[in-house]
Amino acid sequence: MKYEVDTHCHTIASGHAYSTVIENAQAAAKKGLKMIAITDHGPAMGEGVNRYYFGNMTVIPEQIEGVYILRGIEANILDNEGTLDLPERYLKKLDIVLAGLHTGCFVKGTVEDNTRAVIEAMKNPYVDIIVHPGNPEFPLDIDRFVEAAHEYNVHIEINNSSFTVSRKGSKDNCILIAKKAAAIGARVSLGSDAHICYDIGNFDKAEEVIKEAGIPAENILNTSMKKVIDILKSKGRQVVPSYKTSTKI
Ligand SMILES: [Zn+2]
Ligand SMILES: [Zn+2]
């Protein structure tokens, strides 16, 4: 399968990542990607970014090295009410919002607590993707989670780094999540979760899970830049107004 977009990429701003926006764009161009989302961790992560960083992302050019740049965040879900660590006035300036549960930002709860927190976050109209839901540290009621993602038009991330360097033990959960998504037609997004430019566009392990589950290409967000733009716009996101999918890039 061909992928045009990586929806989950970090920069040095995250505090534990090692490349710049420009290096990420250069790496994406080399891999033949058309678009990447810059999604640094939200302010609640100890070494994360303050809110003004997200408020000022409009200074980033639409395209760097021929690659379109989505201004985004990997927001932290803070509590069982699904509260995010960035206020709406900042979220609405961004092109794409990822959200998820992270150690140190969310107090580990029961399956019911974790599931409720994620489902409440999905009701937030700014949330586009729930990241790494297969993390065994925060187990979810998979059926309810996937059904809610489908209902609220939120993408479920299959996170490549969950099978390589992070969140050990995620694979079994991810396969169950992907199979449930395939069964009901819920949509997914593959994310590299790159913390260094060389990992941008790496989806090989996530793709194995997608294949095993039998999720069709039309239900995978990042197979097409046009699809990403159309879906974000349909959710009322501004994206960058001058995006034209016919533009030569
Ligand atoms: Zn994360
Ligand atoms: Zn991440």
Side-chain angles (χ1 to χ4, degrees):
M1 201 135 21
K2 183 156 169 30
Y3 300 94
E4 294 186 349
V5 183
D6 190 343
T7 53
H8 190 162
C9 309
H10 293 272
T11 75
I12 49 172
S14 281
H16 58 269
Y18 308 96
S19 298
T20 63
V21 173
I22 297 166
E23 288 163 346
N24 283 349
Q26 288 168 338
K30 243 184 192 173
K31 289 221 170 152
L33 294 175
K34 292 184 176 175
M35 173 185 270
I36 57 172
I38 299 298
T39 55
D40 284 301
H41 290 287
M45 190 164 281
E47 61 207 348
V49 177
N50 70 52
R51 60 179 63 176
Y52 304 112
Y53 175 87
F54 298 104
N56 201 35
M57 288 184 93
T58 47
V59 303
I60 299 173
E62 286 173 25
Q63 269 189 314
I64 300 173
E65 302 284 333
V67 175
Y68 280 104
I69 308 293
L70 291 175
R71 297 88 184 237
I73 182 174
E74 181 179 9
N76 294 292
I77 299 171
L78 300 175
D79 55 33
N80 288 4
E81 307 308 314
T83 308
L84 300 185
D85 62 341
L86 195 69
E88 184 181 338
R89 68 180 186 279
Y90 292 97
L91 293 175
K92 71 181 179 194
K93 294 175 83 173
L94 298 176
D95 299 319
I96 189 165
V97 174
L98 282 50
L101 301 175
H102 291 95
T103 308
C105 303
F106 180 82
V107 179
K108 211 184 294 187
T110 61
V111 169
E112 176 59 32
D113 292 332
N114 301 338
T115 306
R116 181 188 153 115
V118 170
I119 291 177
E120 290 302 310
M122 288 196 286
K123 293 178 185 174
N124 183 327
Y126 293 103
V127 172
D128 302 301
I129 298 174
I130 293 293
V131 293
H132 44 70
N135 186 358
E137 197 174 342
F138 301 105
L140 301 176
D141 179 329
I142 287 172
D143 284 347
R144 275 174 58 210
F145 161 64
V146 176
E147 283 162 12
H150 192 37
E151 180 181 350
Y152 297 116
N153 198 20
V154 172
H155 291 78
I156 297 164
E157 183 185 70
I158 305 298
N159 183 304
N160 202 69
S161 72
S162 293
F163 313 120
T164 56
V165 293
S166 303
R167 296 171 292 278
K168 298 286 177 213
S170 291
K171 189 159 185 182
D172 289 350
N173 287 340
C174 291
I175 289 170
L176 291 172
I177 289 168
K179 284 184 172 168
K180 175 70 180 179
I184 68 169
R187 292 197 291 213
V188 304
S189 182
L190 273 52
S192 71
D193 202 0
H195 283 65
I196 191 161
C197 59
Y198 308 115
D199 282 336
I200 301 268
N202 280 356
F203 303 127
D204 52 336
K205 300 291 178 195
E207 191 168 22
E208 288 172 15
V209 172
I210 294 295
K211 274 188 185 156
E212 183 173 340
I215 296 177
E218 64 261 30
N219 285 345
I220 304 173
L221 177 66
N222 49 317
T223 51
S224 146
M225 181 174 81
K226 182 178 185 313
K227 196 190 310 184
V228 173
I229 294 169
D230 288 349
I231 286 177
L232 291 174
K233 283 192 168 169
S234 77
K235 295 181 75 174
R237 317 307 297 276
Q238 291 180 12
V239 193
V240 172
S242 60
Y243 279 164
K244 290 188 186 72
T245 50
S246 59
T247 305
K248 190 173 181 301
I249 56 172

